[in-house]
């Protein structure tokens, strides 16, 4: 190590040991103090995750950008009551995003003119998929849109996002037993309705049902 | 052959892959609005901090006096200890732990201030927080009878799904059907304040009154779905029932279905019953609603009319909205919706989409409006 230091010193460079950025470790404390720089770091670190969670539950909603900001604003409003460590910050923020998304789902159901994938949203997804898959997935989105918001959330988080049951329970702030019950009901409804759609049922049989 | 049961994870992965593709496409056109977020955070949160700073500055001596009084009161009484509670038959309860009432059994929670929460069979709840002057209970599913000891400065809150019941010293029965997302409240004594979806402002409920709110449920489709509540339940609309005073003997093993009493047009629309919702709006006075509803509600009423296949009524609502709320975002949105209503008349559609673009050239629906104008171009 001494030779390395001498080398760097001889060439006018400073040898710095990689150490954990203290600002990152104290992000939560700085957010609670209302530091603007911390708010920017918070946004940069988790905006991708928030966008993904909202997109999973809502599809390409026309107000998605605003909703991403709503999630962060809501999180900043309530960060003072956050008691976890930095490791729990992401899962806490995910819960805020899920609650925001479910409020939007309920609002949309009242309006009912933008489903999980409106005809325009389907166009957004059709960049590279084959036409049959495009249509089948759009039909799958429509079936998902018919589920009650609570069942839809657990179904999407479990099967689309791939979260474990306990993670889904924590993210949705419900018990594990309720998660299991809702998944069971969502699965039953989804399969029954998918069977009623000939194209979707056939696509599922062809692409997914006979893989073994 | 039916789709295999284990095909759902694979379907989920296919949906995820398609969504990821769509998300990348969306992200390429919507870079994170970091600067806008920071400005908004400063504006929203900074204002609150400045207000608190101003209050704190003037309130320092008052705070000192208040602290002295609080300490005196705490010492004078038995101390500011938070409440505790016991689960009958099980012993002391712990905050945050789930409590489930089995089928056919009631589970009473006895609080140290004399208040009592009784979970009905097949209900699930937990005590979120305990304070010296009350508790916060979350009812995840089912129903509970709540008796709060009336006391000055009570702080008792019951969360039933997305609804919050703020207790002002009373006895009531609250229910939340998590599967169908229906909220119900029947007040026996006292008064509560309810907040939550479908309530534009907090709703006070007094002795002898009840409140039923139907939240989202699956829209009925052609072909029977035996899991959706039978339409017969909607025949209760218009019937006012006396509040329940359930005794233990009256409580059934099956979870009580919520009864829809005098459901308004909004609740019916939320359930996808658009024709019934339009009938309810007519019964409430369609013209009167057009003249008195807020902008957001007029948008919703127009949607109800549209989905109930009454485009002329939808048009009437939207024109009234534009007249009453001229210049606002909702009025511009109404222009867009008028364009959507005019799909069989391209000239009319172009005109309204053009109005939207004139009023909101950079609005959220601007790209779609331009596309619709192109589609309708001769």
């Amino acid at each position: 190590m001494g030779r390395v230091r001498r080398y760097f010193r001889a060439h006018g460079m400073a040898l710095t040991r990689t150490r954990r950025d203290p600002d990152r470790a104290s992000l939560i404390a700085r957010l609670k103090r209302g530091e603007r720089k911390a708010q920017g770091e918070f946004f940069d670190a988790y905006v991708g995750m928030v966008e993904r969670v909202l997109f999973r539950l809502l599809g390409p909603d026309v107000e998605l950008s605003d909703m991403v900001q709503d999630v962060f604003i809501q999180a900043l409003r309530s960060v003072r009551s956050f008691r976890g460590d930095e490791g729990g910050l992401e899962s806490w923020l995910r819960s805020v995003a899920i609650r925001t998304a479910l409020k939007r789902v309920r609002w949309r159901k009242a309006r009912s003119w933008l489903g999980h994938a409106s005809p325009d949203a389907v166009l957004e997804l059709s960049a590279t998929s084959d036409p049959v898959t495009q249509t089948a997935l759009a039909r799958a989105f429509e079936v998902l849109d018919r589920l009650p918001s609570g069942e839809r959330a657990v179904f999407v988080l479990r099967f689309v996002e791939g979260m474990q049951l306990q993670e889904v329970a924590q993210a949705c702030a419900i018990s594990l037993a309720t998660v299991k019950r809702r998944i069971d009901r969502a699965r039953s409804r989804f399969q029954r309705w998918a069977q009623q759609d000939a194209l979707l049922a056939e696509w599922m049989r062809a692409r997914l049902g006979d893989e073994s | 052959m039916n789709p295999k049961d284990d095909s759902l994870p694979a379907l989920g992965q296919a949906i995820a892959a398609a969504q990821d593709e769509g998300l990348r496409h969306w992200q390429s056109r919507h870079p994170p609005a970091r600067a806008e977020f920071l400005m908004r955070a400063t504006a929203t949160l900074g204002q609150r901090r400045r207000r608190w700073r101003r209050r704190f500055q003037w309130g320092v001596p008052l705070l000192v006096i208040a602290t002295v009084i609080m300490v005196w009161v705490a010492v004078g009484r038995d101390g500011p200890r938070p409440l505790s509670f016991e689960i009958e038959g099980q012993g002391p309860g712990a905050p945050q732990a789930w409590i489930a009432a089995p089928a056919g059994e009631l589970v009473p929670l006895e609080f140290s201030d004399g208040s009592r929460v009784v979970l009905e069979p097949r209900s699930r709840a937990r005590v979120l927080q305990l304070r010296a002057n009350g508790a916060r209970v979350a009812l995840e599913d089912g129903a509970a009878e709540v008796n709060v000891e009336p006391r000055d400065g009570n702080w008792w809150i019951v969360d039933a799904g997305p609804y919050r019941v703020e207790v002002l010293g009373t006895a009531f029965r609250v229910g939340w059907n998590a599967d169908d997302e229906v909220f119900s409240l029947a007040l026996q004594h006292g008064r509560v304040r309810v907040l939550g979806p479908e309530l534009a402002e907090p709703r006070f409920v007094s002795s002898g009154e009840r409140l039923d709110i139907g939240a989202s449920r699956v829209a009925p489709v052609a072909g029977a779905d035996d899991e959706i509540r039978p339409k017969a339940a909607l025949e209760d609309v218009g019937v006012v029932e006396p509040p329940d005073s359930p005794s233990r003997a009256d409580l059934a093993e099956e979870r009580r279905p919520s009864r829809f009493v005098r459901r308004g047009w909004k609740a019916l629309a939320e359930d996808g019953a658009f024709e019934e919702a339009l009938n309810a709006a007519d019964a409430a006075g369609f013209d009167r609603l057009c003249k008195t509803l807020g902008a957001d509600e007029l948008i919703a009423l127009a949607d109800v009319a549209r989905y109930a296949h009454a485009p002329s009524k939808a048009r009437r609502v939207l024109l009234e909205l534009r007249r009453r709320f001229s210049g606002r975002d909702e009025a511009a949105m109404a222009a867009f919706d008028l364009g959507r209503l005019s799909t069989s008349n391209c000239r009319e559609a172009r005109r309204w989409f053009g109005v939207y673009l004139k009023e909101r050239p950079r609005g959220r629906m601007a790209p779609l409006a331009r596309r619709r104008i192109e589609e309708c171009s001769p």
Side-chain angles (χ1 to χ4, degrees):
Chain A
M1 194 59 170
R3 271 192 305 183
V4 175
R5 278 212 171 99
R6 282 196 294 273
Y7 173 84
F8 274 89
R9 214 176 285 135
H11 289 79
M13 292 184 280
L15 174 63
T16 56
R17 198 166 20 202
T18 302
R19 58 171 69 103
R20 195 166 168 214
D21 182 357
D23 283 346
R24 193 90 167 96
S26 65
L27 178 63
I28 294 168
R30 291 161 57 224
L31 285 173
K32 290 184 179 184
R33 287 199 296 269
E35 274 187 29
R36 188 178 163 90
K37 188 179 171 207
Q39 291 170 357
E41 288 173 23
F42 183 48
F43 185 84
D44 292 337
Y46 297 112
V47 65
M49 181 274 288
V50 170
E51 284 175 345
R52 194 182 72 249
V53 169
L54 293 178
F55 205 86
R56 285 272 185 264
L57 287 166
L58 300 171
D61 193 297
V62 291
E63 294 190 17
L64 200 64
S65 293
D66 287 344
M67 292 180 64
V68 169
Q69 293 193 23
D70 287 346
V71 170
F72 280 98
I73 295 290
Q74 182 58 42
L76 291 179
R77 278 201 179 117
S78 52
V79 72
R80 289 185 187 208
S81 60
F82 176 71
R83 294 284 174 261
D85 58 20
E86 195 183 335
L89 188 60
E90 181 171 347
S91 54
W92 173 76
L93 184 62
R94 185 181 295 118
S95 298
V96 176
I98 290 168
R99 280 199 300 276
T100 304
L102 291 184
K103 276 188 200 167
R104 180 70 174 173
V105 166
R106 292 189 187 105
W107 180 87
R108 269 195 338 209
K109 276 187 180 284
R111 283 185 57 87
S112 295
W113 69 276
L114 267 181
H116 192 269
S118 73
D120 305 295
V122 170
L123 290 173
E124 302 276 0
L125 296 171
S126 68
T128 58
S129 302
D130 66 271
V132 173
T133 301
Q134 287 170 33
T135 308
L137 288 175
R139 301 277 180 93
F141 291 149
E142 286 171 15
V143 172
L144 277 178
D145 198 40
R146 290 159 53 181
L147 292 173
S149 54
E151 289 179 22
R152 173 198 183 133
V154 297
F155 186 97
V156 168
L157 294 176
R158 176 78 181 108
F159 292 119
V160 182
E161 186 68 358
M163 291 168 68
Q164 298 301 314
L165 292 176
Q166 188 61 50
E167 290 175 318
V168 173
Q170 282 173 354
C172 297
I174 53 178
S175 65
L176 186 60
T178 298
V179 168
K180 288 178 181 173
R181 196 175 72 244
R182 286 185 185 177
I183 281 182
D184 205 44
R185 289 175 67 96
R187 186 202 302 260
S188 170
R189 286 200 230 246
F190 186 94
Q191 287 177 323
R192 190 167 61 251
W193 293 333
Q195 286 169 34
Q196 293 172 0
D197 185 318
L199 186 144
L200 177 58
E202 183 53 38
W203 183 83
M204 285 177 70
R205 273 192 289 272
R207 299 292 183 93
L208 312 170
D210 294 326
E211 282 178 329
S212 62
Chain B
M1 187 174 78
N2 296 330
K4 287 169 68 171
D5 187 61
D6 59 0
S7 64
L8 285 179
L11 174 66
Q13 287 171 14
I15 291 175
Q19 282 191 325
D20 288 344
E21 186 184 304
L23 178 60
R24 281 192 291 274
H25 184 56
W26 181 86
Q27 285 171 331
S28 68
R29 294 181 303 112
H30 299 86
R34 187 183 194 274
E36 193 180 326
F37 157 70
L38 288 174
M39 277 169 43
R40 193 176 152 193
T42 303
T44 307
L45 303 169
Q47 279 179 3
R48 289 174 68 193
R49 274 196 290 277
R50 281 193 291 277
R51 278 201 294 270
W52 275 108
R53 217 176 287 138
R54 280 199 295 271
R55 288 178 192 169
F56 185 72
Q57 182 184 3
W58 289 106
V60 167
L62 288 175
L63 185 62
V64 169
I65 295 169
T67 304
V68 168
I69 292 172
M70 278 167 58
V71 167
W72 176 78
V73 167
V75 169
R77 290 188 181 178
D78 292 330
R81 280 185 162 183
L83 300 183
S84 59
F85 71 100
E86 294 228 347
I87 306 172
E88 192 177 286
Q90 296 181 33
Q96 303 294 333
W98 288 104
I99 305 163
E105 285 185 37
L106 301 171
V107 175
L109 312 181
E110 309 275 0
F111 289 82
S112 51
D113 69 343
S115 300
R116 192 173 148 92
V117 174
V118 181
L119 299 186
E120 293 184 5
R122 291 196 183 177
S123 298
R124 180 183 294 274
R126 57 179 171 167
V127 176
L128 290 179
Q129 200 176 351
L130 292 165
R131 287 189 182 182
N133 57 340
R136 184 166 190 154
V137 178
L139 177 68
E140 186 193 60
D141 197 8
E145 199 177 311
V146 180
N147 275 270
V148 171
E149 277 297 307
R151 193 169 278 136
D152 286 343
N154 253 352
W155 181 87
W156 267 91
I157 295 175
V158 178
D159 295 320
Y163 293 90
R164 188 167 86 190
V165 181
E166 293 178 354
V167 184
L168 308 171
T170 187
F172 59 91
R173 179 180 180 274
V174 61
W176 172 246
N177 183 323
D179 291 333
D180 297 325
E181 297 189 343
V182 175
F183 172 84
S184 62
L185 175 75
L187 212 63
Q188 289 138 27
H189 305 291
R191 202 159 174 249
V192 299
R193 188 170 79 151
V194 181
L195 303 93
E198 297 305 299
L199 297 173
E201 54 190 17
R203 180 84 61 88
F204 287 94
V205 184
S206 302
S207 296
E209 293 179 348
R210 71 176 287 151
L211 176 66
D212 292 275
I213 302 173
S216 306
R217 73 182 174 101
V218 176
V221 294
D225 182 337
D226 54 14
E227 292 195 55
I228 295 179
R229 186 174 302 110
K231 243 183 160 9
L234 295 176
E235 290 169 7
D236 288 339
V237 172
V239 176
V240 179
E241 298 191 12
D244 286 332
S245 298
S247 65
R248 288 182 179 225
D250 290 338
L251 290 167
E253 182 167 321
E254 287 298 319
R255 187 176 311 123
R256 237 180 237 186
S258 292
R259 283 162 289 187
F260 293 89
V261 177
R262 206 178 268 168
R263 296 183 68 209
W265 66 270
K266 279 191 255 186
L268 288 165
E270 182 78 351
D271 286 356
F274 296 113
E275 289 179 7
E276 287 91 344
L278 189 59
N279 290 339
D282 284 337
F286 196 84
D287 287 340
R288 185 181 64 80
L289 289 177
C290 286
K291 287 180 172 32
T292 56
L293 287 179
D296 267 353
E297 291 168 310
L298 285 175
I299 291 268
L301 182 60
D303 288 341
V304 164
R306 195 153 58 91
Y307 283 96
H309 308 293
S312 58
K313 281 191 171 170
R315 203 169 283 117
R316 210 162 102 203
V317 174
L318 293 169
L319 289 171
E320 184 67 17
L321 194 162
R322 283 189 56 77
R323 186 189 69 78
R324 287 177 54 205
F325 298 98
S326 169
R328 280 175 55 166
D329 287 343
E330 292 88 349
M333 195 64 226
F336 183 87
D337 282 347
L338 283 162
R340 286 168 67 104
L341 274 176
S342 307
T343 46
S344 58
N345 183 337
C346 264
R347 191 175 162 190
E348 194 67 7
R350 276 203 313 275
R351 179 170 90 85
W352 282 113
F353 289 129
V355 168
Y356 175 82
L357 286 173
K358 191 175 169 191
E359 293 178 9
R360 291 291 181 276
R362 281 183 294 279
R364 289 191 303 266
M365 308 308 291
L368 192 51
R370 287 189 192 98
R371 194 155 40 188
R372 292 293 168 89
I373 288 175
E374 282 171 18
E375 288 167 4
C376 276
S377 293

